[in-house]
Amino acid sequence: MSTSSAPVPTRPHALPTTESGRRVTFVPPRPRARTSRRVRRRRLALGAVAVAGAVALGASAIGALAGSSGLQLPPMPPVFPGTVFTPSADDGFIDDGMQVSLWDDDLPAISRLDPELLAAMRAAEARAADDGIRLGVTSGWRSAAYQQWLLDDRIASVGEETARAYVATPEQSRHVSGDAIDIGPVDAQYWLISYGSEFGICQTYGNEPWHFELATTPGSECPPMRTDANG
Ligand SMILES: [Zn+2]
């Protein structure tokens, strides 16, 4: 797909205004509910303590049983409660609150995106820069393990129904397939919602103004949005 030689449509070099000339006000998205890292770490630590305690209790109960009955039981296998999955940069993880560049090719979050989506986003970025808007990437490609971790983490913090409205399963996630990208800050989201279709880029979930996919032919209208990641 080549958009470099296509004629540039004329449009105002400013964010849209209302008929009266006032700037359209943009209601920022509801911040994603998250659990702080410290709370998550504490939860993990408490979980580990609970597991270790249960293992110790079980072992002593079995030991008592074996001692009283004279049974010879095989030794308990070692348990490592600390081996909990933590997403890394190799899984496409980008720290909470961080934004990376569309040119950070050394990050799998960027390099494992669909090449067509990445090319379209870079073309859009160049045009956005003309309007003084910087497109930052808050999430790109994700490993299936990271997506599952994200879903579990959100379910634990906001409950199943809300979590599933925002986080797809690894099988369904467009991030895992490399076909979706999350953009910030809010002015960049608004710019991409307004002009992304010139590059084939569309907001695809009504409840996620930060989430974009290649969803139309460049220059055509975007298809109707799905309500949320569950719909
Ligand atoms: Zn997304």
Side-chain angles (χ1 to χ4, degrees):
M1 186 181 63
S2 170
T3 54
S4 56
S5 60
V8 178
T10 53
R11 61 187 172 73
H13 273 248
L15 292 175
T17 56
T18 61
E19 283 180 2
S20 62
R22 285 176 47 215
R23 282 212 159 178
V24 173
T25 50
F26 179 65
V27 181
R30 232 172 39 175
R32 279 190 274 186
R34 355 182 108 96
T35 317
S36 76
R37 249 154 219 276
R38 192 175 300 165
V39 170
R40 281 208 296 271
R41 256 189 232 121
R42 200 180 308 142
R43 278 193 196 148
L44 285 178
L46 284 173
V49 168
V51 169
V55 168
L57 269 177
S60 63
I62 291 168
L65 185 70
S68 63
S69 65
L71 279 174
Q72 286 296 316
L73 292 173
M76 294 282 288
V79 176
F80 302 104
T83 52
V84 176
F85 174 79
T86 306
S88 69
D90 288 343
D91 295 292
F93 181 75
I94 298 170
D95 267 315
D96 285 357
M98 288 287 293
Q99 291 174 10
V100 302
S101 159
L102 285 160
W103 299 89
D104 279 334
D105 287 318
D106 53 328
L107 295 176
I110 301 298
S111 64
R112 298 191 69 167
L113 285 171
D114 167 51
E116 281 197 30
L117 171 62
L118 186 55
M121 285 298 304
R122 286 173 173 175
E125 179 190 54
R127 188 80 65 75
D130 291 344
D131 290 341
I133 301 290
R134 190 189 151 274
L135 303 185
V137 180
T138 57
S139 195
W141 169 84
R142 298 174 194 150
S143 72
Y146 174 22
Q147 185 72 24
Q148 186 64 54
W149 176 89
L150 206 52
L151 182 57
D152 293 343
D153 182 69
R154 293 294 189 270
I155 288 174
S157 57
V158 298
E160 179 124 15
E161 193 182 342
T162 306
R164 289 195 185 279
Y166 286 90
V167 187
T169 62
E171 294 74 26
Q172 293 172 326
S173 172
R174 302 280 288 167
H175 284 280
V176 173
S177 63
D179 295 309
I181 192 164
D182 293 349
I183 294 297
V186 168
D187 64 347
Q189 296 165 2
Y190 186 35
W191 190 94
L192 211 49
I193 289 168
S194 302
Y195 303 117
S197 63
E198 292 178 24
F199 307 89
I201 299 163
C202 301
Q203 178 190 353
T204 52
Y205 298 127
N207 68 336
E208 296 190 17
W210 54 82
H211 176 105
F212 297 91
E213 301 177 21
L214 265 191
T216 190
T217 311
S220 302
E221 276 188 35
C222 285
M225 285 182 262
R226 283 159 277 167
T227 310
D228 57 43
N230 221 356

